[in-house]
Amino acid sequence: MTLTRTLLSATTLLTFPPLVAEASERRVFVDVGTVSALHDRGEQIGREVLEFGAGVEMDVQEATVYGAFYRLLPFGGEQEAFDDEADYTLGVAWEGRGYSADASVNLLTFPGEDAESSVELAGAVTLDVPLVPTLIGFYDVDIEDRGLELSAGPEWDAGSWSLYAIGRAGFVHPGDGSAHRSYGGVELGATRPVSNFIELGLFARADVADEDAFARRIERGSVISFTTSGIAAGVSFSLTH
């Protein structure tokens, strides 16, 4: 599964809830991936991108507390058209009867860019029912962006591979007064263990929005035309210990 720009740790915890329940000591997780285009909340925020995330979590009474770091690095001939990003996350995850949840505080920074850092509050709830629906919400306390996303889809085994399909739909209300954005998309992927602690992931996705939010043409380090849809594919490695 593609790495997540924010809620990196939440995605790890909610995707593998048995690990939360069984953990009794500190657990370290590391994710490294590369994608042909990085889509987030109905817009494209990178063309060719290397993603890196790492964190540590531990049980505190009935919850799991974690801290994580996420780095987004555009590369290739069109990297100047998109921002570098480095995020820092503190959060807590817990499980109830029929659901799991996560709440986090995320410091979003942009090394070497003109954009100022901001603090984002995010939360997620996943229901333990068929198709495993997940609702994610966020609010940026500095720039006042806010939004919701609902995702759901099946997962099944095929030999040593786990296959999945995810549908997404959501909206974003920018705090700067620009047009609100609604979006949807579908992702197909597969994961398989390559060792006791490392998992390989592959995915392809297509996204569409009601605003021009995906790069159509890039010249001299700038996006000069946009479109309402985009496709992407990627590969990732996840380590948990």
Side-chain angles (χ1 to χ4, degrees), residues 4-10 41 66-70 85-92 102-110 117-124 136-142:
T4 307
R5 177 167 171 255
T6 55
L7 282 175
L8 172 69
S9 307
R41 300 169 181 169
Y66 63 87
F69 170 75
Y70 169 78
E85 184 170 340
D87 300 340
Y88 304 84
T89 297
L90 290 175
V92 58
D102 184 286
S104 65
V105 178
N106 305 277
L107 175 62
L108 314 181
T109 70
F110 305 89
S117 61
S118 63
V119 174
E120 182 179 276
L121 308 178
I136 297 176
F138 76 93
Y139 175 72
D140 193 302
V141 301
D142 292 300

Side-chain angles (χ1 to χ4, degrees), residues 8-130:
L8 172 69
S9 307
T11 301
T12 302
L13 292 169
L14 295 173
T15 305
F16 305 104
L19 296 177
V20 178
E22 296 171 5
S24 59
E25 300 178 352
R26 290 188 186 92
R27 187 166 65 94
V28 175
F29 52 90
V30 177
D31 295 287
V32 179
T34 183
V35 296
S36 61
L38 185 57
H39 299 170
D40 182 61
R41 300 169 181 169
E43 68 174 333
Q44 183 179 342
I45 60 174
R47 175 60 64 90
E48 297 169 317
V49 172
L50 175 67
E51 296 181 274
F52 170 81
V56 61
E57 64 188 30
M58 63 182 298
D59 287 351
V60 177
Q61 296 182 351
E62 300 299 319
T64 299
V65 178
Y66 63 87
F69 170 75
Y70 169 78
R71 189 75 164 96
L72 180 163
L73 285 169
F75 66 90
E78 299 169 338
Q79 65 183 36
E80 294 182 1
F82 301 96
D83 292 341
D84 290 0
E85 184 170 340
D87 300 340
Y88 304 84
T89 297
L90 290 175
V92 58
W94 66 97
E95 291 187 337
R97 182 172 295 178
Y99 77 94
S100 54
D102 184 286
S104 65
V105 178
N106 305 277
L107 175 62
L108 314 181
T109 70
F110 305 89
E113 308 293 345
D114 294 333
E116 296 184 0
S117 61
S118 63
V119 174
E120 182 179 276
L121 308 178
V125 176
T126 296
L127 301 182
D128 185 17
V129 297

Side-chain angles (χ1 to χ4, degrees), residues 38 145 212:
L38 185 57
D145 287 358
D212 290 337

Side-chain angles (χ1 to χ4, degrees), residues 77-82 218-224:
E78 299 169 338
Q79 65 183 36
E80 294 182 1
F82 301 96
I218 300 174
E219 289 185 3
R220 298 179 181 179
S222 298
V223 182
I224 63 172

